[in-house]
Every structure is written in structure tokens, then in C-alpha cells.
């Protein structure tokens, strides 16, 4: 009985240590989540301004033939998948990759019909294990990424579309809804659909509106990729905060169960000792 009680005490101590770790990780994730949300919000005005200029030029220019705006027959599709480098984030990566694999099975009959870019070690390792070719990858991103961290990958993804290596490009990432809600999405990035009020600004563009558009459109597409990355980062920290919060609560429940088991075992041990003492006294009388 004493051996069993010692084992229960060790389990209680071990679970208490685990709870301290998960609680600390939850607090760290919450702090990083706030910074990630601020970064995502601060990047929006720049993207919105580029969109405003692009919409204005497109509205005032007839017969635009820029490949980024022109739809064509879909023979091959490009995917840019954004995952995390590390785990301990619940279903953050698995749900996203499962959704993408389901899309691949439904939409394509062979690997020749799609091309893949990936951000994050989890996504890269997932694809490698399944023998899926990767055109470009970025891993080891900081918690607060800047545009330079994915500039080359974003540029390659957009240029490959312009060069006709595939006929549409999707961004696959977790959309941030709230700290406890992240939604895996596949958003089509290219060809671009310039939406919004078609207000023609009284600006003069040099050398010409078409040439300005040729420069701005790829930049706009790359900016959208970076915005998706920032959104995915916020989702990642939200998922980690939720996962560590759940782990902390589960540890607390385990400690309560172990404590109850220990108290019952101790009570049974005391009862047994009293019974032995009484039996001994009766034998002597």
C-alpha cells in the first residue's frame, strides 16, 4: 500500500510540473498572439492603398491584357501552403493539410496537374513523406516575420503564374477568426479579381498606366501573400494558446483525480492499521 501511495505522489508531482509548463506556454502564446494581431492590422493599410491604385488604373484603362488579371483555361494549379515550424498547436496543421489533400484528390488526377510551394517545417515534412514535389520552401520564420522573409518565395510564386507554368494560384492557410477559432481556407490569389469601387483618379502615370500596372500588380499579389502569412501567424498562436489552455485544464483534473486516489489509499491504510491494532489488543486480552 505504501508503495502505491508513493507512486501516486510521484504522479501528482509530475503532473503539477507539467501544468506549470503548459500554463507558461499558454501565457507566452497569448503574448505572441497580441503582437501577431497588431502586425496583421498594421499591414492592411498598405495593401488597401495598393488595391485602390490598381483599381483606379484598371477602371481607367480599357483592354487590359496583363496576365495577372486575365483568366485562362485551367490546365495546372499552383498552391502556396502556409504551416508552422513547430507543433503543440492542436489541429492547426493537421486540419489544414487534411483539407488540402481532400481538395487534391477531388480536383486533380495526377501530380502533373499541380505545383506546390510551402512555408513551415510541418508542411514541408508532410509533403516529403508523401513524395509530393515542392517547387519552393521557406522554413525557420521568426514569430514576427517581415516581408523580406518570404519575398523570394512570393516573387517566384507570382512569376511562375505570369510565365504560364500554372494557370491559377491558391493560398492555403488558417484564417484567423478569433483566439479560439481558426478556419482552414483555400483562397484563389491569381488571376487577381480587382473588386471595389471603380473610381478613376485624376493622376498622370509615367511612362504609362499600363506599365505602372505591370509593376504594381505583382507587388499587390506578393502583398496579399504576406498578409495571409501574418493572418496564419495569428492563427498559429491562437491555436497554441487554446491547446496549452486545454492541456492546463486537463492537468488540473488529473491532479484532482490523483489526489482523491491518494486520500482514499491513505484512508484505507490507516483503517487497516487500526484494524490490526484492535485485533492485536483483542488477542492479548
Amino acid at each position: 500500500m505504501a508503495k502505491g501511495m508513493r507512486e501516486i505522489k510521484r504522479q501528482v508531482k509530475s503532473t503539477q510540473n507539467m501544468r506549470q509548463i503548459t500554463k507558461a506556454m499558454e501565457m507566452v502564446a497569448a503574448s505572441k498572439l497580441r503582437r501577431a494581431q497588431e502586425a496583421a492590422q498594421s499591414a492592411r493599410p498598405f495593401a488597401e492603398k495598393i488595391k485602390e491604385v490598381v483599381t483606379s488604373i484598371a477602371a481607367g484603362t480599357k483592354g487590359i491584357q496583363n496576365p495577372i488579371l486575365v483568366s485562362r483555361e485551367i490546365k495546372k494549379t499552383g498552391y502556396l501552403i502556409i504551416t508552422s515550424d513547430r507543433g503543440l498547436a492542436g489541429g492547426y496543421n493537421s486540419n489544414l493539410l487534411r483539407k488540402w489533400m481532400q481538395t487534391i484528390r477531388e480536383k486533380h488526377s495526377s501530380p502533373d496537374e499541380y505545383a506546390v510551394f510551402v512555408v513551415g517545417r510541418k508542411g514541408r515534412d508532410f509533403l516529403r513523406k508523401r513524395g509530393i514535389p515542392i517547387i519552393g520552401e521557406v522554413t525557420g520564420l521568426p514569430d514576427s516575420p517581415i516581408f523580406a522573409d518570404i519575398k523570394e518565395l512570393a516573387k517566384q510564386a507570382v512569376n511562375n503564374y505570369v510565365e504560364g507554368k500554372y494557370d491559377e494560384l491558391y493560398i492555403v492557410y488558417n484564417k484567423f477568426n478569433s483566439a479560439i477559432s481558426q478556419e482552414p481556407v483555400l483562397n484563389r490569389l491569381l488571376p487577381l479579381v480587382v473588386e471595389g469601387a471603380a473610381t478613376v483618379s485624376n493622376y498622370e502615370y509615367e511612362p504609362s498606366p499600363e506599365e505602372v500596372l505591370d509593376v504594381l500588380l505583382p507587388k499587390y499579389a506578393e502583398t496579399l501573400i504576406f498578409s495571409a502569412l501574418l493572418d496564419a501567424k495569428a492563427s498559429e498562436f491562437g491555436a497554441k494558446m487554446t491547446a496549452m489552455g486545454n492541456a492546463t485544464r486537463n492537468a488540473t483534473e488529473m491532479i484532482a483525480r490523483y489526489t482523491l486516489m491518494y486520500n482514499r489509499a491513505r484512508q484505507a491504510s490507516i483503517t487497516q492499521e487500526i484494524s490490526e491494532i484492535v485485533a492485536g489488543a483483542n488477542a492479548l486480552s
Side-chain angles (χ1 to χ4, degrees):
M1 182 63 71
K3 181 179 179 181
M5 291 172 62
R6 286 196 298 270
E7 181 63 27
I8 294 174
K9 288 185 71 175
R10 281 196 293 269
Q11 289 177 329
V12 170
K13 183 64 176 176
S14 174
T15 308
Q16 286 175 336
N17 293 337
M18 180 178 66
R19 182 175 63 178
Q20 289 179 342
I21 294 172
T22 56
K23 183 62 178 178
M25 294 178 70
E26 179 187 4
M27 296 173 66
V28 169
S31 175
K32 291 180 178 179
L33 171 60
R34 286 191 292 270
R35 291 198 294 269
Q37 284 181 279
E38 291 171 358
Q41 291 171 356
S42 64
R44 287 171 186 163
F46 179 71
E48 290 172 358
K49 192 62 180 178
I50 294 183
K51 180 179 179 181
E52 177 185 328
V53 175
V54 167
T55 304
S56 174
I57 298 175
T61 307
K62 296 182 179 181
I64 298 176
Q65 294 300 316
N66 190 293
I68 289 181
L69 294 177
V70 178
S71 298
R72 52 186 184 242
E73 182 184 357
I74 307 301
K75 297 179 180 179
K76 190 171 184 178
T77 302
Y79 295 94
L80 196 158
I81 305 172
I82 301 176
T83 62
S84 66
D85 285 315
R86 292 178 289 274
L88 298 177
Y92 174 82
N93 293 302
S94 58
N95 292 340
L96 180 72
L97 294 169
R98 189 183 304 115
K99 182 180 179 69
W100 179 75
M101 286 296 294
Q102 181 180 355
T103 301
I104 291 300
R105 287 191 291 267
E106 294 173 353
K107 190 173 180 178
H108 305 291
S109 58
S110 75
D112 295 332
E113 295 181 358
Y114 60 88
V116 183
F117 299 87
V118 65
V119 176
R121 289 190 182 92
K122 289 295 183 178
R124 181 197 65 185
D125 296 345
F126 177 89
L127 297 173
R128 283 182 176 177
K129 287 179 181 178
R130 286 155 182 78
I132 299 175
I134 301 172
I135 296 179
E137 65 179 73
V138 172
T139 58
L141 286 176
D143 292 332
S144 300
I146 59 176
F147 180 68
D149 294 325
I150 63 158
K151 179 180 178 181
E152 292 304 319
L153 182 73
K155 184 177 180 180
Q156 182 184 4
V158 174
N159 286 346
N160 281 6
Y161 172 81
V162 173
E163 294 168 2
K165 294 182 179 179
Y166 38 76
D167 305 297
E168 59 180 352
L169 175 64
Y170 281 82
I171 306 179
V172 186
Y173 70 104
N174 280 286
K175 181 181 178 183
F176 181 81
N177 294 325
S178 68
I180 60 173
S181 175
Q182 300 83 37
E183 178 187 0
V185 295
L186 286 84
N187 287 343
R188 194 175 81 160
L189 173 65
L190 299 176
L192 277 176
V193 177
V194 182
E195 299 174 343
T199 303
V200 180
S201 301
N202 295 322
Y203 296 132
E204 292 185 4
Y205 299 96
E206 291 293 341
S208 69
E210 291 82 1
E211 292 182 68
V212 172
L213 206 59
D214 289 342
V215 174
L216 280 184
L217 283 173
K219 299 299 181 186
Y220 179 46
E222 293 168 13
T223 300
L224 292 179
I225 293 174
F226 181 59
S227 295
L229 173 64
L230 295 179
D231 208 30
K233 272 294 179 183
S235 296
E236 177 186 343
F237 295 131
K240 285 184 177 180
M241 185 183 73
T242 301
M244 292 300 100
N246 291 336
T248 301
R249 286 189 290 274
N250 290 339
T252 300
E253 293 175 2
M254 290 175 64
I255 291 170
R257 288 199 299 269
Y258 287 144
T259 302
L260 180 60
M261 291 170 58
Y262 176 80
N263 290 337
R264 286 176 175 173
R266 185 169 179 271
Q267 184 179 14
S269 177
I270 293 172
T271 302
Q272 182 178 357
E273 290 178 5
I274 293 174
S275 297
E276 292 174 353
I277 293 171
V278 171
N282 290 337
L284 293 173
S285 60

